[in-house]
Amino acid sequence: MPKQVDYESRRRRIADAVCRLADEHGPEGVSMRDVAARAQVSLGAVQRCFRTKEEMLLFAVEHVGERLTERVRARLVRGPAQSAATALGHTAGEVALLREEHRAEARVWLAFVAQAAVSEPLADKLRTSYADLQDVFARLIAEAAESAGPSTGNGPGTGNGPGTGNGPGTGNGPGTGNGPGTGDSSVTGKGTAGDDPAGGVPVALDPWREARSLLALTDGLTSHVLIGHLSPEEAQDVLHAHLALLWERLGVTTPVSGRAG
């Protein structure tokens, strides 16, 4: 009887080999022959899984993104009773890839980001991964805001809230209706740090805008640590300070265990 081949397992094994080679030589230096040797499979086996090098690289990007989102999900599952603010701190720490054990993954991710500047299919895959992570941030920020004070208009949890939809770990979170950018997605905390200096009126907090800012910050910190501009500890301090200001604007007491990472 012919041996059954687990193609998904083989594809993931090949993707791991692609990532190791991309870490050493960059995505442009990866060949299907070298991947076969690194994965300890035949070139024919690689070609049966992926018709072209581009298809192989796209799967590898998706593979890295899935590993990251799985860790984010695991963080949220391990602490179901934690506050949204605490969960946001832990999640942001995972996304920033600041720990030593994630350093190779961070190098591979940024190598793919650089390659995506000249590859639209690769850029499309990365946009999907970033959108999923932004969904998680937006949901947690909206939940923290909702727990801290009243919402304005149709806040999170209504049909017109932020569109977290089917992002990783979002489940049936707030605002599965009309997606980001709606006028009704803004919420307010207690209105102290967010007051309009001109009129003293609390400024509505938009979870999607805050999520975009936080995602951009975590991504930038990854780069700064990799090139040695910041130490991991300094990057953690930057991230923690950003989150502390966000919690202050929401009127949320800074969680003792909510330090990112």
Side-chain angles (χ1 to χ4, degrees), residues 17-29:
V18 170
C19 291
R20 291 196 297 273
L21 287 167
D23 186 24
E24 296 169 11
H25 308 294
E28 68 282 357

Side-chain angles (χ1 to χ4, degrees), residues 166-183:
N166 296 322
T170 56
N172 295 322
T176 56
N178 294 333
T182 62

Side-chain angles (χ1 to χ4, degrees), residues 13-259:
R13 181 178 178 179
I14 290 170
D16 285 334
V18 170
C19 291
R20 291 196 297 273
L21 287 167
D23 186 24
E24 296 169 11
H25 308 294
E28 68 282 357
V30 174
S31 72
M32 297 183 84
R33 188 175 299 279
D34 288 342
V35 167
R38 186 62 63 93
Q40 297 183 321
V41 298
S42 68
L43 177 59
V46 174
Q47 291 170 330
R48 281 191 291 274
C49 290
F50 304 102
R51 292 169 297 178
T52 64
K53 173 184 171 178
E54 182 177 66
E55 186 178 307
M56 183 177 67
L57 290 176
L58 291 176
F59 182 79
V61 170
E62 187 175 349
H63 181 60
V64 174
E66 285 176 353
R67 282 198 312 223
L68 176 56
T69 52
E70 280 301 318
R71 288 202 300 272
V72 168
R73 287 192 190 101
R75 274 280 195 175
L76 297 177
V77 169
R78 284 203 303 269
Q82 65 188 335
S83 70
T86 299
L88 180 64
H90 291 323
T91 300
E94 290 289 350
V95 173
L97 298 172
L98 299 180
R99 292 202 293 272
E100 181 62 36
E101 63 265 32
H102 298 150
R103 202 60 48 79
E105 191 172 85
R107 289 193 300 266
V108 170
W109 182 260
L110 291 183
F112 281 133
V113 169
Q115 187 70 13
V118 293
S119 170
E120 178 54 32
L122 199 55
D124 185 60
K125 282 288 184 184
L126 288 170
R127 283 194 295 267
T128 298
S129 292
Y130 280 126
D132 287 345
L133 293 171
Q134 184 174 298
D135 283 348
V136 176
F137 284 171
R139 176 177 67 86
L140 292 172
I141 291 169
E143 287 181 2
E146 189 174 48
S147 67
S151 62
T152 60
N154 296 325
T158 68
N160 291 330
T164 54
N166 296 322
T170 56
N172 295 322
T176 56
N178 294 333
T182 62
D184 294 324
S185 66
S186 299
V187 293
T188 59
K190 294 183 178 177
T192 53
D195 285 353
D196 180 355
V201 179
V203 177
L205 183 143
D206 181 351
W208 280 92
R209 183 174 60 243
E210 299 296 338
R212 285 193 293 269
S213 297
L214 181 56
L215 183 59
L217 176 64
T218 57
D219 215 38
L221 291 176
T222 305
S223 302
H224 285 210
V225 169
L226 281 183
I227 66 172
H229 176 63
L230 294 175
S231 69
E233 294 74 23
E234 289 170 334
Q236 287 280 10
D237 284 342
V238 171
L239 183 55
H240 181 60
H242 178 88
L243 291 172
L245 286 174
L246 175 60
W247 289 324
E248 182 181 346
R249 290 164 57 204
L250 289 174
V252 175
T253 301
T254 305
V256 174
S257 61
R259 190 174 180 83

